[in-house]
Amino acid sequence: MTGPARIRDLLVHAQQQLNDSDSARLDAEILLAFVMRVPRETFYAHPEDMVAADQICDYLSLVSRRASGYPVAYLTGQKEFWSTELTVNQHTLIPRPETECLVETSLELIPEQAGLDILDLGTGSGAIAIAIAKERPGSQVTAVDVVAESLTVAQANASRQRLSNIRFLQSDWFSDLPHAVFDIIVCNPPYVDTRYRGFTDGDIRFEPRIALDGGHLGLTIINHLVPASIRHLKPGGYLLLEHGYDQAPSIQHLFKLNNYRNIRTRCDYAGQERVSYACLS
Ligand code: GLN
């Protein structure tokens, strides 16, 4: 394509380039909105508007990177989570809609007026910690990650939201929090089985393996966190874990073995068992 073009024609062209993606039309729109710095909705109101030649050039280069499989969120550097636009990059997992189930479940355990101490383990882009800190301004959120580059992203995301009730710390799970105790510990750990063949497919192949690969059966980190959290929970405190659709029975069993009580599992919006949580007496 050379010279200016109509939005509608450009989107049709891009969609054809992207037909390997099962979200070709959406991807085409998100990338064009990003290049033109306008909300996607304007394409429906003004499909006949012209796009300038230089913007088309930038757009087509993004479309071709997307056509080669690179995730849209890494191309735009943005992903919406819990109604907040977050910066993401290749050091952070791309926040998933199902993780909103973890936020929702956590919020039910954090009364609005209470000033609780909350820990987000493996914060990545800060998605979970920021959502909780925004919804519960009276509570204090500590967010840790072992990857320094992730913390830089998470910190920038929190600053953009002007949150004063969140702090960040580099730590390998609890390694740098030896004596800290919390009312709520929340974690979206790596839980994908290390033998999962899909690691080489789709968006996931560009995401940090450390945030996804949960070792044997996907349970290595969870097997560590359930007992390790005991020393870091106040009496009555809750541990909440996101997990794979078939892992709830193993995690419930692990909670029982470690004398947690009120053990529960919650389904995500797709109806998959996604979050298990329990408390300590
Ligand atoms: N839900 C993610 C996926 O299947 C996994 C996220 C994780 O391991 N924490 O792609």
Side-chain angles (χ1 to χ4, degrees):
M1 249 185 200
T2 53
R6 284 195 169 76
I7 285 174
R8 190 181 39 211
D9 301 337
L10 196 54
L11 286 173
V12 169
H13 172 75
Q15 197 178 341
Q16 284 161 356
Q17 306 289 301
L18 296 174
N19 57 13
D20 279 352
S21 158
D22 48 17
S23 52
R25 176 72 193 193
L26 181 64
D27 295 355
E29 289 183 10
I30 292 173
L31 292 174
L32 188 57
F34 172 69
V35 168
M36 295 181 72
R37 296 168 203 265
V38 295
R40 244 178 352 110
E41 294 67 40
T42 62
F43 301 153
Y44 295 92
H46 306 286
E48 304 291 333
D49 281 5
M50 302 301 283
V51 186
D54 58 335
Q55 287 185 327
I56 294 179
C57 182
D58 293 347
Y59 180 56
L60 293 181
S61 114
L62 289 177
V63 168
S64 98
R65 290 184 70 197
R66 175 60 187 149
S68 73
Y70 203 61
V72 172
Y74 289 161
L75 289 171
T76 62
Q78 294 165 357
K79 181 73 184 179
E80 189 174 303
F81 181 83
W82 203 263
S83 305
T84 302
E85 197 69 36
L86 297 173
T87 293
V88 294
N89 67 23
Q90 72 279 12
H91 298 294
T92 66
L93 198 70
I94 300 167
R96 314 279 205 264
E98 58 264 32
T99 300
E100 294 191 340
C101 175
L102 183 59
V103 172
E104 215 168 72
T105 312
S106 307
L107 291 176
E108 285 171 20
L109 298 170
I110 310 169
E112 292 215 15
Q113 307 310 327
L116 299 191
D117 288 311
I118 296 151
L119 173 65
D120 175 23
L121 284 172
T123 198
S125 64
I128 297 164
I130 290 169
I132 294 176
K134 273 178 88 168
E135 297 287 342
R136 295 292 183 269
S139 285
Q140 180 66 42
V141 180
T142 301
V144 307
D145 206 289
V146 71
V147 179
E149 292 89 342
S150 296
L151 286 173
T152 306
V153 171
Q155 228 146 3
N157 280 326
S159 310
R160 219 164 295 123
Q161 301 301 317
R162 302 186 198 292
L163 293 168
S164 54
N165 60 329
I166 185 164
R167 67 176 179 132
F168 294 91
L169 195 79
Q170 189 170 11
S171 179
D172 185 4
W173 306 119
F174 292 108
S175 70
D176 285 67
L177 294 164
H179 307 298
V181 289
F182 301 90
D183 299 288
I184 304 277
I185 299 177
V186 55
C187 179
N188 175 14
Y191 57 72
V192 180
D193 189 325
T194 196
R195 293 167 309 180
Y196 176 58
R197 292 181 188 276
F199 276 128
T200 52
D201 297 336
D203 283 9
I204 202 175
R205 79 193 118 140
F206 297 99
E207 293 185 284
R209 184 82 176 238
I210 188 178
L212 291 160
D213 189 339
H216 182 59
L217 302 175
L219 290 169
T220 302
I221 303 299
I222 290 172
N223 282 333
H224 165 67
L225 291 179
V226 170
S229 294
I230 295 172
R231 286 180 47 211
H232 297 278
L233 279 170
K234 298 183 193 176
Y238 274 87
L239 171 63
L240 297 95
L241 296 167
E242 182 176 318
H243 55 73
Y245 72 96
D246 56 354
Q247 291 173 330
S250 309
I251 296 170
Q252 290 219 1
H253 181 65
L254 192 61
F255 274 138
K256 273 190 208 111
L257 282 179
N258 285 278
N259 299 316
Y260 284 77
R261 56 184 183 83
N262 288 359
I263 303 168
R264 307 251 187 283
T265 292
R266 190 68 76 80
C267 289
D268 63 19
Y269 313 120
Q272 309 273 21
E273 290 189 326
R274 184 61 62 196
V275 171
S276 289
Y277 58 106
C279 79
L280 279 185
S281 334

